[in-house]
Amino acid sequence: MAQRHLDPTDPRPRHAGPAPTGDALAGYLRAQATEFLRALRLHRETGTGAGSSEGSADAARALRRSARRISASLHTFQSLLDTDWCEGMRPELAWVSGSLAMEHAYTARLERLLSALHRLSGSTAFPGPTAGAAAPAKASAPIHPTSAPERGNLTVGAAKAGALLDRQLNLARTRAHSTALQALGSSRFHAIADKVAVLASEVPLTKTAGTTDLRPLAAAAEGRLTDAVAALPLVTAGNPYNASALVHGLSPDTVPHPQDAPWHQVRLLLRLHRYAREAQRGEPNGNTVVDLRLLSAGQALNRHRDASEAAAAAAQAARTPRIAPATAYALGVLHADQRHEVEAARFAFQQCWQKETVSTS
Amino acid sequence: MAQRHLDPTDPRPRHAGPAPTGDALAGYLRAQATEFLRALRLHRETGTGAGSSEGSADAARALRRSARRISASLHTFQSLLDTDWCEGMRPELAWVSGSLAMEHAYTARLERLLSALHRLSGSTAFPGPTAGAAAPAKASAPIHPTSAPERGNLTVGAAKAGALLDRQLNLARTRAHSTALQALGSSRFHAIADKVAVLASEVPLTKTAGTTDLRPLAAAAEGRLTDAVAALPLVTAGNPYNASALVHGLSPDTVPHPQDAPWHQVRLLLRLHRYAREAQRGEPNGNTVVDLRLLSAGQALNRHRDASEAAAAAAQAARTPRIAPATAYALGVLHADQRHEVEAARFAFQQCWQKETVSTS
């Protein structure tokens, strides 16, 4: 069974004071629902006007943030909540945060790949992303790969690879933007928003929830996390330059890379654990007490996910018909570079996790 | 000024017992000259017959080994030897070991690249090198890249990349083999062999060499090494996944990679230091007392050199006209993989070197 990781930065003793119950959960859910509604209002105010992309992206991020927390609490503390309501709510919240996440993901992926190409090509004239977070209008703008100085075959290759990725990922982002706008305007979304509005004042707790201790449920979430971490190849990951992330890097079955899946799973479980801690502490803003090690472990896993998806995007772009060999070469270098980022992120996670285990044992 | 690294495995105290003088150097040089002549005889016996490639390669390795040691001693202990003789001898020995090294280098490079492709493609059917160390006849054999199972675009790319590298490096090896055979049959080589034969019985020491302490000269060689190591970016190298080896990986000025040069230089200085230690200890076989840390530091630098040259060969192959995009993509992945090997080798060197410094400080 999984070991428990106590947090020495936690100012409250774990087994002293009144146990957090369903009331603490209800407070947490009401606060997240209020935050959801606030973000939604903000998004409607900033979303469609020109020059407001920054605020709109912030609002979308806040919407996703609260949707994730509500959804996670419904998962972890399911037994304290009305079953039908939970089962109706969770897929809808997942749909909301999924719809809103894609645009940001494509933006970040393009930024990551272009900045890697910039680093790899050593060209200061290499262009950055052509568009900001919520300005998909540029996606159809003409691409001028030759505007970068032609300093030999490979630099042209890097520029062409950048232009290709820019075109493909901007197109995907534009579609994601439309999908998100459609989602937010749909009757399905309005139904969810109504339910969240009710949740902001009235949490459907079970009859016994008010006296039920949250801690065993939160501990179970932590147990699922530590079990999943124990199944990761952490010994390999802690050995720098183990070259395991690029194994089968030229195999055709590698998009998405099967070896990444357990790490993605741990990323989700780590998030569930973090939100369960927030809920049992009744922290309305979710970050009053921050466990820096949990946070940095989570950041390493985010980096892992981002690099994994960026590597897949580079491999995917290399399958575009009729590209020049120099473009394909640059995409191959880029793919391998991002797979090494995957390996580096696993190493970083192992270092964080080991620190945690050592300091609490 | 450079710090000294004392070797705790050295059974003799540094400043006790009779100081090694020119006589020890003469003994060392005679032993190396004898070894050179023995290897040469062996090479002539095994060199041209069929099925004797193994023995021939061993003999060539032994020839290079003793040539390197004689040349290094002439460099480090120059002031104890006849100047004209030294100046006439050193470029000739460098020519011999250079001529003999190329064939082995191409063989090893091809093996390294094909085994990396094998690892990356995850294909068990991927062919190994088509020829052994001294069997260049296969270089003109027909290449069948499609004999590997076609499991999608990228695996075909890996197979084609392997076939291309196999063709190019086997051709280079065939040429190197011919060059080495020509060199060994030339009057220039016979003149060197004659000089080495004289050296085996009569070392041209200066008049004062018999009473001159070798240790300051050996210490100067060590000082040159430690100064060069101190100029290396070891803090970066000791930080895993620093991503510095692939910086400018797509820049056109990167073959050979300028950032590798100081490491190659340290590799040569480390060898000079090791041979100077051998000479002052009067070890005829050169490896009676082995400093494992020096050896592993040297191995890390060999790996650095090999990966650096393999990465350059992959980049070079990607410039072949009219290759398929899938081939170019595979070569890009391979290039990046080998540049990460370069980074891994630097990390390994930093680890060895740090251990040495810590344990003697």
Side-chain angles (χ1 to χ4, degrees), chain A residues 333-356:
Chain A
V333 171
L334 187 59
H335 172 78
D337 175 69
Q338 291 301 305
R339 291 304 304 171
H340 277 99
E341 269 285 298
V342 165
E343 197 179 298
R346 290 180 190 169
F347 176 74
F349 174 81
Q350 189 273 346
Q351 298 280 300
C352 292
W353 196 258
Q354 195 181 36
K355 231 179 250 173
E356 191 163 22

mmCIF file of all heavy atoms in Angstrom, chain A residues 333-356:
data_model
loop_
_atom_site.group_PDB
_atom_site.id
_atom_site.type_symbol
_atom_site.label_atom_id
_atom_site.label_comp_id
_atom_site.label_asym_id
_atom_site.label_seq_id
_atom_site.Cartn_x
_atom_site.Cartn_y
_atom_site.Cartn_z
ATOM 1 N N VAL A 333 15.376 16.703 -36.037
ATOM 2 C CA VAL A 333 16.180 17.255 -34.928
ATOM 3 C C VAL A 333 15.255 17.792 -33.840
ATOM 4 O O VAL A 333 15.454 17.545 -32.642
ATOM 5 C CB VAL A 333 17.125 18.368 -35.449
ATOM 6 C CG1 VAL A 333 17.789 19.098 -34.288
ATOM 7 C CG2 VAL A 333 18.183 17.794 -36.390
ATOM 8 N N LEU A 334 14.214 18.491 -34.265
ATOM 9 C CA LEU A 334 13.259 19.082 -33.328
ATOM 10 C C LEU A 334 12.525 18.004 -32.524
ATOM 11 O O LEU A 334 12.350 18.131 -31.305
ATOM 12 C CB LEU A 334 12.269 19.929 -34.127
ATOM 13 C CG LEU A 334 11.268 20.779 -33.352
ATOM 14 C CD1 LEU A 334 11.985 21.761 -32.442
ATOM 15 C CD2 LEU A 334 10.355 21.525 -34.321
ATOM 16 N N HIS A 335 12.095 16.961 -33.217
ATOM 17 C CA HIS A 335 11.408 15.859 -32.529
ATOM 18 C C HIS A 335 12.317 15.275 -31.440
ATOM 19 O O HIS A 335 11.901 15.114 -30.287
ATOM 20 C CB HIS A 335 11.024 14.775 -33.538
ATOM 21 C CG HIS A 335 10.494 13.527 -32.908
ATOM 22 N ND1 HIS A 335 9.210 13.425 -32.420
ATOM 23 C CD2 HIS A 335 11.077 12.330 -32.641
ATOM 24 C CE1 HIS A 335 9.028 12.228 -31.900
ATOM 25 N NE2 HIS A 335 10.143 11.542 -32.018
ATOM 26 N N ALA A 336 13.552 14.958 -31.809
ATOM 27 C CA ALA A 336 14.492 14.365 -30.848
ATOM 28 C C ALA A 336 14.764 15.325 -29.699
ATOM 29 O O ALA A 336 14.859 14.912 -28.537
ATOM 30 C CB ALA A 336 15.787 13.994 -31.557
ATOM 31 N N ASP A 337 14.872 16.609 -30.012
ATOM 32 C CA ASP A 337 15.098 17.620 -28.976
ATOM 33 C C ASP A 337 13.954 17.602 -27.959
ATOM 34 O O ASP A 337 14.186 17.628 -26.746
ATOM 35 C CB ASP A 337 15.202 18.997 -29.641
ATOM 36 C CG ASP A 337 15.327 20.119 -28.629
ATOM 37 O OD1 ASP A 337 16.379 20.198 -27.972
ATOM 38 O OD2 ASP A 337 14.373 20.910 -28.472
ATOM 39 N N GLN A 338 12.726 17.529 -28.446
ATOM 40 C CA GLN A 338 11.580 17.538 -27.539
ATOM 41 C C GLN A 338 11.458 16.217 -26.775
ATOM 42 O O GLN A 338 11.044 16.194 -25.620
ATOM 43 C CB GLN A 338 10.289 17.844 -28.318
ATOM 44 C CG GLN A 338 10.238 19.278 -28.824
ATOM 45 C CD GLN A 338 10.326 20.292 -27.681
ATOM 46 O OE1 GLN A 338 9.548 20.271 -26.741
ATOM 47 N NE2 GLN A 338 11.316 21.186 -27.743
ATOM 48 N N ARG A 339 11.844 15.115 -27.393
ATOM 49 C CA ARG A 339 11.857 13.844 -26.657
ATOM 50 C C ARG A 339 12.907 13.896 -25.538
ATOM 51 O O ARG A 339 12.732 13.292 -24.484
ATOM 52 C CB ARG A 339 12.132 12.653 -27.582
ATOM 53 C CG ARG A 339 11.018 12.314 -28.556
ATOM 54 C CD ARG A 339 9.666 12.048 -27.917
ATOM 55 N NE ARG A 339 9.671 10.994 -26.917
ATOM 56 C CZ ARG A 339 8.647 10.715 -26.116
ATOM 57 N NH1 ARG A 339 7.521 11.420 -26.188
ATOM 58 N NH2 ARG A 339 8.717 9.754 -25.235
ATOM 59 N N HIS A 340 13.984 14.618 -25.764
ATOM 60 C CA HIS A 340 14.964 14.772 -24.681
ATOM 61 C C HIS A 340 14.439 15.690 -23.594
ATOM 62 O O HIS A 340 14.767 15.520 -22.420
ATOM 63 C CB HIS A 340 16.309 15.229 -25.235
ATOM 64 C CG HIS A 340 17.108 14.070 -25.742
ATOM 65 N ND1 HIS A 340 17.165 13.731 -27.065
ATOM 66 C CD2 HIS A 340 17.818 13.122 -25.082
ATOM 67 C CE1 HIS A 340 17.884 12.639 -27.203
ATOM 68 N NE2 HIS A 340 18.302 12.244 -26.030
ATOM 69 N N GLU A 341 13.597 16.633 -23.979
ATOM 70 C CA GLU A 341 12.897 17.447 -22.985
ATOM 71 C C GLU A 341 11.993 16.562 -22.130
ATOM 72 O O GLU A 341 11.865 16.777 -20.922
ATOM 73 C CB GLU A 341 12.043 18.506 -23.703
ATOM 74 C CG GLU A 341 12.753 19.815 -23.933
ATOM 75 C CD GLU A 341 12.846 20.613 -22.643
ATOM 76 O OE1 GLU A 341 11.791 20.971 -22.087
ATOM 77 O OE2 GLU A 341 13.988 20.842 -22.192
ATOM 78 N N VAL A 342 11.367 15.576 -22.775
ATOM 79 C CA VAL A 342 10.534 14.619 -22.053
ATOM 80 C C VAL A 342 11.382 13.903 -21.001
ATOM 81 O O VAL A 342 11.006 13.798 -19.826
ATOM 82 C CB VAL A 342 9.907 13.592 -23.038
ATOM 83 C CG1 VAL A 342 9.348 12.381 -22.304
ATOM 84 C CG2 VAL A 342 8.816 14.249 -23.881
ATOM 85 N N GLU A 343 12.549 13.446 -21.441
ATOM 86 C CA GLU A 343 13.463 12.734 -20.527
ATOM 87 C C GLU A 343 13.930 13.663 -19.405
ATOM 88 O O GLU A 343 14.007 13.247 -18.234
ATOM 89 C CB GLU A 343 14.651 12.222 -21.347
ATOM 90 C CG GLU A 343 15.455 11.157 -20.669
ATOM 91 C CD GLU A 343 16.591 10.695 -21.566
ATOM 92 O OE1 GLU A 343 16.308 10.176 -22.662
ATOM 93 O OE2 GLU A 343 17.756 10.871 -21.182
ATOM 94 N N ALA A 344 14.232 14.912 -19.755
ATOM 95 C CA ALA A 344 14.678 15.885 -18.752
ATOM 96 C C ALA A 344 13.575 16.149 -17.734
ATOM 97 O O ALA A 344 13.842 16.291 -16.533
ATOM 98 C CB ALA A 344 15.088 17.185 -19.447
ATOM 99 N N ALA A 345 12.321 16.200 -18.194
ATOM 100 C CA ALA A 345 11.203 16.450 -17.286
ATOM 101 C C ALA A 345 11.017 15.273 -16.327
ATOM 102 O O ALA A 345 10.707 15.472 -15.147
ATOM 103 C CB ALA A 345 9.924 16.691 -18.097
ATOM 104 N N ARG A 346 11.237 14.059 -16.818
ATOM 105 C CA ARG A 346 11.142 12.888 -15.935
ATOM 106 C C ARG A 346 12.231 12.936 -14.865
ATOM 107 O O ARG A 346 11.989 12.615 -13.705
ATOM 108 C CB ARG A 346 11.289 11.602 -16.752
ATOM 109 C CG ARG A 346 10.109 11.336 -17.645
ATOM 110 C CD ARG A 346 10.303 10.060 -18.441
ATOM 111 N NE ARG A 346 9.275 9.944 -19.461
ATOM 112 C CZ ARG A 346 9.296 9.052 -20.441
ATOM 113 N NH1 ARG A 346 10.293 8.186 -20.541
ATOM 114 N NH2 ARG A 346 8.326 9.014 -21.326
ATOM 115 N N PHE A 347 13.419 13.339 -15.294
ATOM 116 C CA PHE A 347 14.519 13.489 -14.333
ATOM 117 C C PHE A 347 14.149 14.533 -13.275
ATOM 118 O O PHE A 347 14.324 14.294 -12.071
ATOM 119 C CB PHE A 347 15.804 13.894 -15.072
ATOM 120 C CG PHE A 347 16.975 14.174 -14.178
ATOM 121 C CD1 PHE A 347 17.656 13.140 -13.553
ATOM 122 C CD2 PHE A 347 17.401 15.478 -13.953
ATOM 123 C CE1 PHE A 347 18.736 13.393 -12.722
ATOM 124 C CE2 PHE A 347 18.483 15.740 -13.122
ATOM 125 C CZ PHE A 347 19.141 14.697 -12.516
ATOM 126 N N ALA A 348 13.615 15.659 -13.718
ATOM 127 C CA ALA A 348 13.227 16.727 -12.783
ATOM 128 C C ALA A 348 12.153 16.229 -11.812
ATOM 129 O O ALA A 348 12.216 16.506 -10.609
ATOM 130 C CB ALA A 348 12.719 17.949 -13.562
ATOM 131 N N PHE A 349 11.183 15.488 -12.331
ATOM 132 C CA PHE A 349 10.139 14.943 -11.457
ATOM 133 C C PHE A 349 10.751 13.993 -10.431
ATOM 134 O O PHE A 349 10.442 14.065 -9.235
ATOM 135 C CB PHE A 349 9.075 14.206 -12.277
ATOM 136 C CG PHE A 349 8.052 13.513 -11.403
ATOM 137 C CD1 PHE A 349 7.001 14.231 -10.848
ATOM 138 C CD2 PHE A 349 8.163 12.160 -11.099
ATOM 139 C CE1 PHE A 349 6.078 13.612 -10.019
ATOM 140 C CE2 PHE A 349 7.247 11.536 -10.270
ATOM 141 C CZ PHE A 349 6.207 12.262 -9.734
ATOM 142 N N GLN A 350 11.630 13.125 -10.892
ATOM 143 C CA GLN A 350 12.267 12.162 -9.983
ATOM 144 C C GLN A 350 13.009 12.895 -8.861
ATOM 145 O O GLN A 350 12.944 12.482 -7.699
ATOM 146 C CB GLN A 350 13.217 11.257 -10.785
ATOM 147 C CG GLN A 350 13.786 10.077 -10.019
ATOM 148 C CD GLN A 350 15.066 10.423 -9.256
ATOM 149 O OE1 GLN A 350 15.673 11.467 -9.483
ATOM 150 N NE2 GLN A 350 15.473 9.549 -8.360
ATOM 151 N N GLN A 351 13.696 13.983 -9.226
ATOM 152 C CA GLN A 351 14.446 14.754 -8.230
ATOM 153 C C GLN A 351 13.494 15.366 -7.195
ATOM 154 O O GLN A 351 13.759 15.295 -5.993
ATOM 155 C CB GLN A 351 15.265 15.845 -8.923
ATOM 156 C CG GLN A 351 16.305 15.320 -9.900
ATOM 157 C CD GLN A 351 17.564 14.833 -9.204
ATOM 158 O OE1 GLN A 351 18.234 15.591 -8.509
ATOM 159 N NE2 GLN A 351 17.897 13.565 -9.362
ATOM 160 N N CYS A 352 12.397 15.956 -7.647
ATOM 161 C CA CYS A 352 11.392 16.528 -6.730
ATOM 162 C C CYS A 352 10.837 15.456 -5.817
ATOM 163 O O CYS A 352 10.733 15.647 -4.606
ATOM 164 C CB CYS A 352 10.182 17.073 -7.497
ATOM 165 S SG CYS A 352 10.481 18.482 -8.502
ATOM 166 N N TRP A 353 10.460 14.342 -6.427
ATOM 167 C CA TRP A 353 9.747 13.312 -5.686
ATOM 168 C C TRP A 353 10.649 12.675 -4.644
ATOM 169 O O TRP A 353 10.247 12.432 -3.516
ATOM 170 C CB TRP A 353 9.222 12.251 -6.653
ATOM 171 C CG TRP A 353 8.174 11.413 -6.004
ATOM 172 C CD1 TRP A 353 8.334 10.152 -5.511
ATOM 173 C CD2 TRP A 353 6.818 11.787 -5.758
ATOM 174 N NE1 TRP A 353 7.160 9.714 -4.970
ATOM 175 C CE2 TRP A 353 6.210 10.696 -5.104
ATOM 176 C CE3 TRP A 353 6.070 12.932 -6.021
ATOM 177 C CZ2 TRP A 353 4.870 10.729 -4.718
ATOM 178 C CZ3 TRP A 353 4.749 12.961 -5.625
ATOM 179 C CH2 TRP A 353 4.159 11.871 -4.979
ATOM 180 N N GLN A 354 11.885 12.438 -5.047
ATOM 181 C CA GLN A 354 12.863 11.838 -4.136
ATOM 182 C C GLN A 354 13.082 12.741 -2.923
ATOM 183 O O GLN A 354 13.099 12.270 -1.796
ATOM 184 C CB GLN A 354 14.174 11.635 -4.879
ATOM 185 C CG GLN A 354 15.143 10.720 -4.175
ATOM 186 C CD GLN A 354 16.425 10.599 -4.967
ATOM 187 O OE1 GLN A 354 16.878 11.565 -5.589
ATOM 188 N NE2 GLN A 354 17.019 9.441 -4.962
ATOM 189 N N LYS A 355 13.206 14.031 -3.184
ATOM 190 C CA LYS A 355 13.394 15.009 -2.118
ATOM 191 C C LYS A 355 12.280 14.890 -1.093
ATOM 192 O O LYS A 355 12.500 14.821 0.097
ATOM 193 C CB LYS A 355 13.364 16.416 -2.727
ATOM 194 C CG LYS A 355 14.529 17.284 -2.339
ATOM 195 C CD LYS A 355 14.412 18.630 -3.014
ATOM 196 C CE LYS A 355 15.461 18.836 -4.086
ATOM 197 N NZ LYS A 355 15.261 20.068 -4.857
ATOM 198 N N GLU A 356 11.057 14.815 -1.612
ATOM 199 C CA GLU A 356 9.880 14.714 -0.765
ATOM 200 C C GLU A 356 9.945 13.459 0.098
ATOM 201 O O GLU A 356 9.743 13.501 1.299
ATOM 202 C CB GLU A 356 8.654 14.657 -1.676
ATOM 203 C CG GLU A 356 7.349 14.810 -0.956
ATOM 204 C CD GLU A 356 6.245 15.159 -1.939
ATOM 205 O OE1 GLU A 356 6.399 14.875 -3.137
ATOM 206 O OE2 GLU A 356 5.246 15.721 -1.511
#
